[in-house]
Amino acid sequence: MYKLLIVDDEPQILEGMKRTLDWASYGFHRIETSETKDDAVSKAVELLPDIAIFDVCIGTDRGYEIINRLNELRLPTKYIIMSGYSEFEYAQEAIRCGVKDYLLKPVERSKLQMVIEKIIVEDLHGTLNGMSSEDMNTDPILGIPYDQLSKLTNRILLMVKAEYAQNITLKSVAERFRMNSTYLGQLFLKEAHMKFSEYLMAYRMLQAREYILTTDEKISSIALSVGYPNLNYFYTHFQGYFGKSPSELRKKG
C-alpha cells in the first residue's frame, strides 16, 4: 500500500488532483495535502510518502527547492513537479533535483496516469495488470531501456516531455547545456540512433495520437497543443508518420 503527498497553494487544485485518478485502485491508502512549504516538509517527514506531487510555485517558494530540502533528508520519495509555466528554467531545476516527471497544468489525467504507473512499476517495484517493469522502463520511441541511456540523453528526453508543445530545438537545448549544438546532436544520434528533430517529431506525434483517440478536441487545437502552429505542417507530419490522416485515425478509434 502506498502513501501520496500533494502540495499546492490552491485548495481547488489539491481537491482536483485527489479526484483525477482512482488512487485506491493503485494501492494508495493514505493521501495528504499541503499548501505551504513548512507544512509540506513536516508532512513529508511524518508520512514518508512513496510519491509526492509538487506545484512549481508554493506561495513565494519553489517546489523544487522544497524537494531539494527533502532530498537532503534522504526521504525515500519519488517526486513529480506540475506547473502552469512552460519556461525551460523550471523544467531544468526539476531535472536537477531528480524529479521523475514534469507535468504542465492543467494536468491531463492520461499523462498523470502514465507517470504514476511508471513510478509504481519501475521505482516501487509494484505490478499493474498487463504491464511489466521492462515495458514501463523502456522509451516508447527509442525502444531502449532508460537505464541503458546516459544521464545526458535521459535529461534531453525529459526536456522533450516538458517542452514538446513549445518551440524547442536542438540549438536551444544545446544552449541550455552550454554545449555546441552539432556536438550534442552527434552524441544524441549515436545513442538514440535517430536525430533529435526526429525524436521530437515522433514524441509529438504520439501525443497527438493520444489526444485524437481520447478527446473530442478539434484537430487544429491538438496540432497547436503538440507544438504545431502550422496546421498543414502538422497534417503532413501526421500522415507521413502514421500513414493516415488525424480524421481517419479518430474514425477508426
Side-chain angles (χ1 to χ4, degrees), residues 1 4 17 19 36 56 61 71 86 95 97 114 117 165 226:
M1 302 296 280
L4 174 71
M17 290 297 291
R19 294 193 300 267
T36 67
V56 77
D61 297 301
N71 282 336
S86 59
I95 292 168
C97 64
M114 262 192 326
E117 290 177 350
V226 298

Side-chain angles (χ1 to χ4, degrees), residues 51 78 100 115-124:
I51 298 176
K78 305 305 175 185
K100 301 303 294 184
V115 174
I116 294 298
E117 290 177 350
K118 187 172 188 292
I119 293 175
I120 288 175
V121 173
E122 202 175 297
D123 298 288
L124 304 181

Side-chain angles (χ1 to χ4, degrees), residues 222-234:
I222 291 174
L224 191 60
S225 71
V226 298
Y228 283 87
N230 185 314
L231 185 57
N232 289 333
Y233 198 36
F234 171 75

Side-chain angles (χ1 to χ4, degrees), residues 5-11 14 33-44 53-55 57-63 66 70:
L5 175 64
I6 309 172
V7 185
D8 196 298
D9 58 3
E10 298 181 57
L14 293 175
T33 61
S34 183
E35 297 178 29
T36 67
K37 173 185 177 180
D38 290 341
D39 186 57
V41 172
S42 296
K43 283 186 175 175
I53 304 173
F54 279 79
D55 186 22
C57 294
I58 313 295
T60 57
D61 297 301
R62 294 289 179 264
I66 305 174
L70 297 176

Side-chain angles (χ1 to χ4, degrees), residues 7-8 34 36 49 54 63 81 90 95 121 129 149 151 156 178 186 201 218 244-245:
V7 185
D8 196 298
S34 183
T36 67
F54 279 79
I81 283 276
Y90 294 110
I95 292 168
V121 173
N129 291 334
L149 297 170
K151 183 177 180 180
I156 293 173
R178 297 182 180 180
Q186 290 172 345
M201 186 198 76
K218 293 181 178 179
K244 62 185 71 174
S245 71

